Amino acid sequence: MNVLVTGGAGYIGSHTCVELLESGYGVVVIDNLCNSNPKSLDRVRELTGKDFKFYEGDVRDGELLRKIFAENEIGCVIHFAGLKAVGESVAQPWRYYDNNLNSTLVLTKVMEEVGMKNLIFSSSATVYSGDNEMPLRETSKTGSCTNPYGWTKYMTEQILSGMAVADKEWGIVLLRYFNPIGAHISGRIGEDPRGIPNNLMPYITQVAVGRREKLSVFGDDYDTPDGTGVRDYIHVVDLAKGHVAAVKYVAAHSGCEVFNLGTGCGYSVLDMVRTFQEVNEVPVPYQIVDRRPGDLATCYADPAKSAEVLGWKAEKSLADMCRDSWRWQSQNPKGFGE
Ligand code: NAD
Ligand code: UFG
């Protein structure tokens, strides 16, 4: 079966292409490269020894999507394509609503036209309200997002679940990712953020490789064991395997189901710095600064439903995540831009 992967040249998409190809699926990628480099796809081919088609273009281009469905027999779509920088979404809300909502609306319209109604969507733990008890279950309260990016994920979940109510032929899986980090064990693909990284792990690796002077730890006065923010970091290869499990699930089920993809373990910022330094034997200088607006003290998943229903569980440890992030960064100090 061929899986159409939107945003397949990106961080999570490229790792998912590897896992799909290694599980025997064919892959077709569409990506407009607005936040990625096509070298990632060459490296997916290199790692798997398998070829696949790449269409450079925008998911909001319905004509291109029709052409892709006409030229390929697609059995499932994984929709990664989207803009994802929280701060940028506050500065450019229209661009985020246009890209993230219209890509899904155009994609699902064309899927309906061609009668292919199996869809997996990249949602986020950001859809959960800030006042929930931990761990977060799929039934925990959602909404009251703090930025346009979060609202695009929340609204897309509403759109897709409404479509599945109206038309029983849709099989839709909403995957709520926690904090993906790490890289393929080969060090050949990984996260390659443009400009100053917003997220913790790419910032740590860029400090370790000498591209930045020191890490700013955003607050040490949270109500957590060491005062720094606690998150559920998940290895991107585990996350990618969760998508393969979702592809199998959606082929056999209709309706709309939501799953957390997390480990269920919370680690603090200082746990991350300590583990990274220990396993890689490389220093990560840091300073404590003020809290970052909008950050929660603690966020971690209850991944029980994914284990029970998808038969998927994250397997890699924090040490694996730190080791693999560093292998990617140290072998590719400038990312794919080398
Ligand atoms: P990424 O930016 O590396 O990948 C997204 C890809 O989509 C990029 O290659 C980009 O060029 C492409 N793209 C964006 N808009 C497009 C469009 N209109 N048409 C065609 N291609 C387009 O991001 P990622 O980390 O791999 O994230 C993948 C998905 O997972 C995103 O939807 C993101 O919001 C979601 N997500 C990511 C995280 C995270 O921490 N990385 C957490 C939760 C959810
Ligand atoms: N942090 C620092 N210094 C940094 C970057 C981050 O101390 O330079 C801290 C943050 O304060 C937080 C933790 O590290 O406590 C993790 O921060 P990230 O920015 O890596 O991740 P977030 O949990 O804030 O956000 C991520 C994604 C969002 C997504 C959210 C929930 O970036 O897109 O998870 O899924 F919405």
Side-chain angles (χ1 to χ4, degrees):
M1 190 225 280
N2 292 319
V3 180
L4 175 61
V5 183
T6 79
Y11 172 48
I12 305 171
S14 58
H15 287 83
T16 301
C17 287
V18 170
E19 296 307 315
L20 286 168
L21 290 164
E22 288 188 341
S23 304
Y25 292 96
V27 154
V28 176
V29 170
I30 173 171
D31 199 303
N32 65 4
L33 306 178
C34 70
N35 196 40
S36 53
N37 188 312
K39 280 188 194 159
S40 64
L41 297 174
D42 295 336
R43 295 200 181 170
V44 170
R45 294 187 181 96
E46 168 202 302
L47 287 171
T48 59
K50 292 183 178 155
D51 201 7
F52 54 88
K53 281 198 215 167
F54 167 49
Y55 293 83
E56 183 177 341
D58 200 294
V59 181
R60 290 166 292 180
D61 179 350
E63 280 315 305
L64 176 60
L65 290 181
R66 286 184 191 96
K67 177 175 145 75
I68 294 173
F69 281 105
E71 290 179 356
N72 303 277
E73 205 165 304
I74 304 291
C76 181
V77 178
I78 308 182
H79 182 32
F80 290 109
L83 301 174
K84 64 165 183 177
V86 171
E88 194 181 63
S89 81
V90 175
Q92 303 172 16
W94 191 88
R95 184 170 161 241
Y96 270 69
Y97 287 116
D98 176 39
N99 195 76
N100 292 3
L101 297 181
N102 281 328
S103 63
T104 307
L105 290 171
V106 173
L107 174 67
T108 48
K109 180 168 187 282
V110 174
M111 288 174 72
E112 231 167 40
E113 281 171 22
V114 300
M116 210 296 292
K117 299 185 185 174
N118 292 338
L119 176 67
I120 295 161
F121 174 66
S122 296
S123 190
S124 167
T126 197
V127 301
Y128 288 115
S129 307
D131 55 356
N132 283 300
E133 295 279 302
M134 294 298 140
L136 294 164
R137 298 191 173 83
E138 288 81 353
T139 49
S140 298
K141 211 166 91 193
T142 59
S144 55
C145 301
T146 53
N147 56 76
Y149 166 73
W151 281 118
T152 69
K153 294 297 178 190
Y154 177 84
M155 290 174 186
T156 304
E157 287 200 358
Q158 301 304 309
I159 293 166
L160 295 176
S161 58
M163 284 168 42
V165 169
D167 176 353
K168 305 294 175 215
E169 284 179 7
W170 277 101
I172 296 176
V173 168
L174 309 174
L175 297 177
R176 292 181 183 154
Y177 312 156
F178 281 68
N179 290 58
I181 60 168
H184 191 266
I185 193 161
S186 63
R188 297 293 288 158
I189 54 174
E191 189 171 11
D192 184 16
R194 298 202 169 162
I196 302 169
N198 299 301
N199 299 117
L200 180 62
M201 183 53 90
Y203 209 102
I204 289 178
T205 60
Q206 290 196 8
V207 170
V209 85
R211 271 171 72 175
R212 308 201 180 269
E213 193 192 337
K214 57 180 129 166
L215 171 73
S216 293
V217 174
F218 298 141
D220 67 349
D221 56 353
Y222 284 106
D223 183 16
T224 61
D226 64 18
T228 64
V230 167
R231 296 289 182 277
D232 185 337
Y233 297 94
I234 174 168
H235 197 295
V236 67
V237 171
D238 279 332
L239 192 77
K241 288 181 174 162
H243 291 75
V244 178
V247 168
K248 287 182 190 141
Y249 175 86
V250 89
H253 297 84
S254 58
C256 180
E257 280 294 327
V258 49
F259 297 99
N260 283 338
L261 293 185
T263 66
C265 302
Y267 291 101
S268 74
V269 178
L270 294 180
D271 289 333
M272 300 297 288
V273 172
R274 213 173 300 116
T275 308
F276 189 92
Q277 293 187 131
E278 270 169 27
V279 302
N280 297 316
E281 297 180 346
V282 52
V284 180
Y286 67 86
Q287 60 181 351
I288 308 288
V289 301
D290 286 348
R291 292 180 178 195
R292 181 172 65 177
D295 273 357
L296 297 175
T298 304
C299 175
Y300 59 92
D302 178 345
K305 182 180 174 192
S306 300
E308 274 162 37
V309 181
L310 295 179
W312 168 90
K313 228 171 154 242
E315 285 167 356
K316 291 182 184 274
S317 67
L318 188 61
D320 294 328
M321 301 182 215
C322 290
R323 212 179 283 117
D324 293 341
S325 291
W326 180 233
R327 189 180 298 105
W328 154 251
Q329 181 74 80
S330 53
Q331 289 180 11
N332 306 269
K334 294 185 181 147
F336 292 108
E338 278 282 71

